[in-house]
Amino acid sequence: MKTKPGLSIIKIGGNIIDNEQLLSEFLTDFSELKGHKILVHGGGKKASEIAEKLGLKPCFSNGRRITDEAMLDVAVMTYSGLLNKQIVAQLQQFGTNSIGFSGADGNLIQSEKRKNTEIDFGFVGDVIQVNNKLISALLVQNCIPVFSAITHDGKGQLLNTNADTIAAEIAISLSEEYEVELIYCFEKKGVLLNSEDDDSVIEVLDFEKYQTLKNEQTIHSGMLPKLENCFKSLNNGVHTIVIGNQKTLKNKAAATQIKL
Amino acid sequence: MKTKPGLSIIKIGGNIIDNEQLLSEFLTDFSELKGHKILVHGGGKKASEIAEKLGLKPCFSNGRRITDEAMLDVAVMTYSGLLNKQIVAQLQQFGTNSIGFSGADGNLIQSEKRKNTEIDFGFVGDVIQVNNKLISALLVQNCIPVFSAITHDGKGQLLNTNADTIAAEIAISLSEEYEVELIYCFEKKGVLLNSEDDDSVIEVLDFEKYQTLKNEQTIHSGMLPKLENCFKSLNNGVHTIVIGNQKTLKNKAAATQIKL
């Protein structure tokens, strides 16, 4: 079997994006990372901050936050505009030839508006297709794609989409051609055994252990969809998954490795 | 001499962007345009509208409007975020595989912060370099670049840049490889002999006639920098320049052709 080239896909969350110093340190490390790479970023607190300044009221349906048209506009402006271009400009400064994308650009990530009989989530999209051909063509030309968490439905509608899921779907799609390493950087050093103890990092988390910890409710709330994304990715060809903080690029051993 | 392939570069202004119906009609025409093409767009009233909602006060220095940091953020959000992605999503709907860019993306347009001894214009950039190699590579792959009026200085700083100038600089840079037709679409049918009479379109405007009309002050204010851009472009390899309204793509004969 021919060896596939390596590809690192790194997703960063709000804690890094919201902190100028952390973001700059992370982007320096990202620039120094060898080989093919892709960055996926969320939006942090900036979108809520701008929405509030614009006088928008958060919108809920049955207790669930929904993305109405005004909030979608703020998400597009903030994620695909301000944050994406600031990240790209900083990477250019470090000599990393990055290009910022929404899923509409080059039809890179197509999604469909979430269907739910009980709740209308508004302009939220679930990924249905990744244009891996164009992403590959860019990687071959040493362009580094930087994805914001906005996709489109192919019918002219932009959609707000979970950044963890975007990272996972890109990873799955590109694992046909690449040996993909997916790294989630968030506010903790890894998946914790005790959410009160930042040093209780689980070194290796496999599916069986995950099931046990989930049933015990040791792992709960926001970690559940993140880990479901991870296991789905591993089951669909992604080679390696690591969950840690912004220092993980430099020190993977301190983070949590997810295994089947 | 080998014949160069054709390339149409179209710049649209605020009057088209601010009007949903006009924009949709224009994008339909743009989609139907044959051959290689590039779209450059300004920002229209949207940025001022958002700035006002955010409570930002317009900033002036010696009577000239300047782009302070807060206003730059709004420009980046609005031009490279909201408008650029809405345009790209609409073009995707029409089957046109467009990709939206700021000048930072792929280091496509590098500029330098405007130097002026009397006025500090703030975060405003003058174009110094266009990455025509990457633009060409995209055109060959039938990707349609859509440029917003934001550039970067290569040192991490985004800069607000005149969209007319961006269109002209891209046109000049790509005319080495392509026979470039540059079309400026604005609110009038063409360059007018009498600004009160919308039907007084000058059919052909050459440099001599321009000089005369400028001295007579028949042509004045905003038209002057636009036309200076045109003559600079023609003097630097651009093949054809047309100035007209949003219908010009369908009917060039009704617009003004600029000649040396």
Side-chain angles (χ1 to χ4, degrees):
Chain A
M1 211 178 90
K2 211 179 127 190
T3 318
K4 294 177 185 176
L7 166 65
S8 303
I9 300 177
I10 293 105
K11 188 259 166 175
I12 52 170
N15 69 309
I16 299 175
I17 293 164
D18 291 333
N19 183 321
E20 211 172 298
Q21 179 65 24
L22 275 193
L23 180 61
S24 174
E25 281 171 27
F26 169 83
L27 293 176
T28 307
D29 292 347
F30 180 78
S31 286
E32 288 168 1
L33 192 69
K34 302 281 179 225
H36 293 309
K37 54 196 169 185
I38 292 173
L39 183 60
V40 180
H41 63 88
K45 293 183 196 131
K46 197 78 193 173
S48 310
E49 214 180 283
I50 291 171
E52 196 178 319
K53 278 191 195 161
L54 288 172
L56 303 180
K57 298 259 178 300
C59 211
F60 292 88
S61 164
N62 288 356
R64 296 289 296 264
R65 191 168 183 141
I66 71 157
T67 304
D68 62 356
E69 205 177 337
M71 196 57 216
L72 175 70
D73 282 359
V74 171
V76 173
M77 287 197 291
T78 313
Y79 305 162
S80 301
L82 193 61
L83 299 174
N84 190 265
K85 299 316 164 199
Q86 284 178 343
I87 289 171
V88 167
Q90 276 199 59
L91 287 172
Q92 291 290 348
Q93 178 187 13
F94 300 142
T96 293
N97 195 19
S98 54
I99 305 188
F101 294 114
S102 75
D105 299 299
N107 194 22
L108 284 169
I109 309 172
Q110 200 169 319
S111 61
E112 61 182 355
K113 198 162 177 281
R114 185 169 299 167
K115 290 180 196 84
N116 188 301
T117 46
E118 285 163 41
I119 305 167
D120 178 0
F121 286 97
F123 296 100
V124 169
D126 294 311
V127 176
I128 53 170
Q129 199 181 293
V130 174
N131 185 347
N132 50 358
K133 213 175 133 186
L134 182 53
I135 298 176
S136 268
L138 290 163
L139 293 173
V140 166
Q141 290 178 52
N142 287 319
C143 290
I144 316 294
V146 177
F147 284 94
S148 58
I150 298 292
T151 58
H152 78 136
D153 70 355
K155 296 167 204 150
Q157 182 62 56
L158 295 164
L159 293 164
N160 199 357
T161 301
N162 182 278
D164 280 1
T165 310
I166 287 181
E169 294 289 347
I170 295 173
I172 290 169
S173 179
L174 285 158
S175 60
E176 277 178 37
E177 208 178 324
Y178 294 89
E179 186 171 292
V180 178
E181 168 190 58
L182 175 58
I183 302 176
Y184 284 107
C185 297
F186 75 144
E187 63 277 18
K188 305 288 185 185
K189 288 180 188 164
V191 184
L192 304 180
L193 253 185
N194 172 2
S195 58
E196 308 287 296
D197 177 7
D198 272 358
D199 289 322
S200 66
V201 176
I202 303 168
E203 245 178 79
V204 177
L205 181 61
D206 62 22
F207 191 67
E208 203 186 320
K209 195 167 180 178
Y210 166 64
Q211 291 290 0
T212 311
L213 294 173
K214 180 175 132 183
N215 292 337
E216 286 173 0
Q217 298 186 359
T218 302
I219 292 176
H220 54 87
S221 42
M223 274 315 289
L224 298 178
K226 198 183 270 291
L227 287 167
E228 294 294 338
N229 264 327
C230 292
F231 290 112
K232 182 185 170 190
S233 302
L234 289 172
N235 279 314
N236 285 279
V238 175
H239 188 264
T240 313
I241 302 187
V242 178
I243 299 184
N245 64 12
Q246 77 284 354
K247 291 179 180 160
T248 303
L249 290 192
K250 288 270 181 191
N251 182 15
K252 281 176 213 162
T256 301
Q257 184 161 10
I258 313 297
K259 294 211 161 170
L260 282 181
Chain B
M1 211 178 91
K2 213 179 126 189
T3 319
K4 294 176 185 176
L7 167 65
S8 304
I9 301 178
I10 293 105
K11 187 258 168 176
I12 52 170
N15 70 308
I16 298 176
I17 292 164
D18 291 333
N19 183 322
E20 211 172 297
Q21 179 65 24
L22 275 193
L23 181 61
S24 174
E25 280 171 27
F26 170 83
L27 293 176
T28 306
D29 292 348
F30 180 78
S31 285
E32 288 168 1
L33 193 68
K34 302 280 180 226
H36 294 309
K37 54 195 169 185
I38 291 173
L39 183 60
V40 180
H41 64 87
K45 293 183 197 131
K46 197 78 192 174
S48 310
E49 213 181 283
I50 291 171
E52 196 178 319
K53 278 192 195 162
L54 288 171
L56 302 180
K57 299 258 179 297
C59 212
F60 292 88
S61 166
N62 288 355
R64 296 289 296 263
R65 191 170 183 138
I66 72 157
T67 303
D68 62 356
E69 204 178 338
M71 196 56 216
L72 175 70
D73 282 359
V74 171
V76 173
M77 286 197 290
T78 312
Y79 306 162
S80 302
L82 192 60
L83 300 174
N84 190 264
K85 299 317 164 197
Q86 284 178 342
I87 289 171
V88 167
Q90 277 199 58
L91 287 173
Q92 291 291 347
Q93 178 187 11
F94 300 141
T96 293
N97 196 19
S98 54
I99 305 188
F101 294 113
S102 75
D105 299 298
N107 194 22
L108 284 169
I109 309 173
Q110 201 169 318
S111 61
E112 60 181 358
K113 199 162 175 283
R114 185 170 299 167
K115 290 180 197 84
N116 188 302
T117 45
E118 286 163 40
I119 303 167
D120 178 2
F121 286 97
F123 296 101
V124 169
D126 294 312
V127 177
I128 53 171
Q129 199 181 292
V130 174
N131 185 348
N132 50 357
K133 214 176 133 187
L134 182 53
I135 298 176
S136 267
L138 290 163
L139 292 174
V140 166
Q141 290 178 51
N142 287 319
C143 290
I144 315 295
V146 177
F147 285 94
S148 58
I150 298 293
T151 59
H152 78 136
D153 70 355
K155 297 167 203 151
Q157 182 63 56
L158 295 163
L159 293 165
N160 199 357
T161 301
N162 182 279
D164 280 2
T165 311
I166 287 182
E169 293 289 347
I170 295 173
I172 290 170
S173 179
L174 285 157
S175 61
E176 277 179 37
E177 207 177 325
Y178 295 89
E179 186 171 290
V180 178
E181 168 190 58
L182 176 57
I183 302 176
Y184 285 107
C185 298
F186 76 144
E187 64 276 18
K188 305 287 184 187
K189 288 179 187 165
V191 183
L192 303 180
L193 253 185
N194 172 2
S195 58
E196 308 287 297
D197 176 6
D198 272 358
D199 289 321
S200 66
V201 176
I202 303 169
E203 245 178 79
V204 177
L205 181 63
D206 63 22
F207 191 67
E208 204 185 319
K209 194 167 181 179
Y210 166 63
Q211 291 291 359
T212 311
L213 294 173
K214 181 175 131 182
N215 292 338
E216 287 173 358
Q217 297 186 3
T218 302
I219 292 176
H220 54 87
S221 43
M223 273 314 288
L224 297 178
K226 199 184 270 291
L227 286 167
E228 294 294 339
N229 264 327
C230 291
F231 290 112
K232 183 184 170 191
S233 302
L234 289 172
N235 278 314
N236 284 280
V238 175
H239 188 264
T240 313
I241 301 187
V242 178
I243 299 184
N245 65 12
Q246 77 283 353
K247 291 179 181 161
T248 303
L249 290 193
K250 288 271 181 188
N251 182 15
K252 281 176 212 161
T256 301
Q257 184 161 11
I258 313 297
K259 294 209 162 172
L260 282 181

